[in-house]
Amino acid sequence: MTLLELRTFWGNRPLIGAAVGALIQDETGRVLLQRRGDDGLWGEPGGALEPGEDFLTGARRELMEETGLVCPDLALMPLPDGLQSGPELFHRYPNGHEIYIVGMRARGTLPASALDHARPDDSGETLELRWFPLDSLPPLSNNANRQSLSVLRAQAGLPPLPLLPYPPAPPAGNHLMDLRRLVGSRPLFAPGANVLVTDGQNRLLLLRHGGTGKWTVPGGSLEPGESFEECARRELFEETELNAERLEPLEMFCGPQYRFTYPHGDTVDNVSVLYRAHGVTGTLTPQEGEVLEVGWFGVHELPEDRELSGTLIQDNLKVWTGGQSA
């Protein structure tokens, strides 16, 4: 379901919005910004993903809709600079809708003359387009834009932009379950994080999940205001009572191939960051009811794909096995 469809059930209360921003620079390093139709302030082209869409496809679509431009070298930024999440990315739109933006940033280049051919669509989202030097930016719409431009500024040796005030994150609950009670089993975006944990023998920790009976890695879904890393830490501890000194982001997984339907019929479009845990401490204690069994598996001992909890986990494991052979 789209965010607008969810609003008919959820009202103005905070939702987690999987979104992408497109950072386009010209040959002098200036960044392309749009003056937004909703608040009259400036930001990079971008917006919410459509169901089943991956981040790069979303970035190309949003760039076309909001500028009429095609950027041939547009690509997702590497992690961690490419990631967006956290309580500071709260935004309240002029119509009262509240959101926590999570997702990715894409980056590309176009000549300054490309702006002569810009043709935004007729939705009213874009009032004006202009190139701006990174050290002379206009009033920006929200903290997602401020953070994105701070990434570019850091790479240019400039200080970060100050963030706008934001409210504390809501108390932890079960956001996805709350939505399910209202919308049933229809597809929902499920931003979250998974964690690769290995032991001293370089074996990977897998958990047999109570809801699917399949093997998975520690992980789960974000709560509103939670960053991807905070989600990874929380889920790791909840499911195993293990802690990690450091979590290294490896890869973002998003797209139609990561749609998953649970045995009871609920469908999710996974938007998941995979982390590698370093400096793991604690005593492995499976979460009662959630985890049926734990196991440590070497590279050549992993369960078959049919025993794993969907394409997301299969591809998580390919990242790990690829790293072992590198």
Side-chain angles (χ1 to χ4, degrees), residues 23 25 46 58 71 77 79 123 139 150 155 191 228 255 306:
L23 296 167
Q25 292 178 276
C71 180
M77 296 183 71
L79 309 188
S123 66
S150 288
Q155 295 175 356
F228 285 111
R306 60 183 175 82

Side-chain angles (χ1 to χ4, degrees), residues 74 96 114 133 159 164 190 232 244 247 287 298:
L74 189 66
L164 301 169
L247 289 172
Q287 183 180 12

Side-chain angles (χ1 to χ4, degrees), residues 1-13 15 97 182-183 186:
M1 298 183 68
T2 66
L3 287 174
L4 284 179
E5 289 171 334
L6 281 175
R7 288 294 177 195
T8 63
F9 299 92
W10 196 250
N12 288 346
R13 291 177 292 165
L15 287 168
H97 293 172
L182 297 175
V183 305
R186 281 173 283 186

Side-chain angles (χ1 to χ4, degrees), residues 40-67:
L41 301 176
W42 294 83
E44 78 259 33
L49 296 186
E50 295 182 351
E53 193 172 46
D54 64 71
F55 282 109
L56 187 54
T57 301
R60 289 169 175 156
R61 174 183 53 76
E62 289 286 345
L63 183 65
M64 172 57 70
E65 291 174 358
E66 296 179 352
T67 72

Side-chain angles (χ1 to χ4, degrees), residues 1-240:
M1 298 183 68
T2 66
L3 287 174
L4 284 179
E5 289 171 334
L6 281 175
R7 288 294 177 195
T8 63
F9 299 92
W10 196 250
N12 288 346
R13 291 177 292 165
L15 287 168
I16 301 173
V20 63
L23 296 167
I24 309 297
Q25 292 178 276
D26 71 2
E27 57 268 35
T28 68
R30 295 182 302 174
V31 64
L32 178 63
L33 298 181
Q34 63 166 165
R35 189 160 66 87
R36 298 169 55 94
D38 57 1
D39 59 15
L41 301 176
W42 294 83
E44 78 259 33
L49 296 186
E50 295 182 351
E53 193 172 46
D54 64 71
F55 282 109
L56 187 54
T57 301
R60 289 169 175 156
R61 174 183 53 76
E62 289 286 345
L63 183 65
M64 172 57 70
E65 291 174 358
E66 296 179 352
T67 72
L69 298 175
V70 174
C71 180
D73 67 353
L74 189 66
L76 297 180
M77 296 183 71
L79 309 188
D81 282 349
L83 289 178
Q84 303 184 91
S85 64
E88 64 274 20
L89 297 191
F90 172 87
H91 182 59
R92 181 181 293 110
Y93 291 93
N95 63 6
H97 293 172
E98 296 180 343
I99 192 171
Y100 284 97
I101 297 168
V102 304
M104 291 285 289
R105 303 178 178 98
R107 186 179 187 182
T109 56
L110 284 173
S113 59
L115 204 54
D116 297 337
H117 309 286
R119 297 291 184 272
D121 66 18
D122 59 2
S123 66
E125 289 188 67
T126 302
L127 301 180
E128 184 181 356
L129 292 165
R130 196 186 303 177
W131 296 106
F132 289 93
L134 290 172
D135 61 356
S136 184
L137 294 169
L140 297 172
S141 177
N142 57 51
N143 282 341
N145 294 299
R146 289 169 175 266
Q147 276 198 350
S148 292
L149 291 167
S150 288
V151 171
L152 296 186
R153 284 168 60 91
Q155 295 175 356
L158 296 170
L161 298 171
L163 296 179
L164 301 169
Y166 53 91
N174 193 324
H175 182 67
L176 199 57
M177 185 66 70
D178 292 341
L179 289 174
R180 283 285 175 218
R181 294 190 183 99
L182 297 175
V183 305
S185 60
R186 281 173 283 186
L188 292 172
F189 276 111
N194 287 338
V195 186
L196 300 177
V197 178
T198 54
D199 66 4
Q201 301 176 55
N202 200 31
R203 298 178 301 175
L204 182 68
L205 174 64
L206 297 181
L207 316 176
R208 191 183 290 276
H209 193 271
T212 64
K214 306 282 189 178
W215 290 101
T216 184
V217 294
S221 298
L222 285 172
E223 292 296 315
E226 193 173 44
S227 70
F228 285 111
E229 181 173 330
E230 288 169 340
C231 173
R233 290 188 180 280
R234 175 181 54 77
E235 289 286 346
L236 177 62
F237 183 77
E238 287 179 359
E239 295 184 344
T240 68

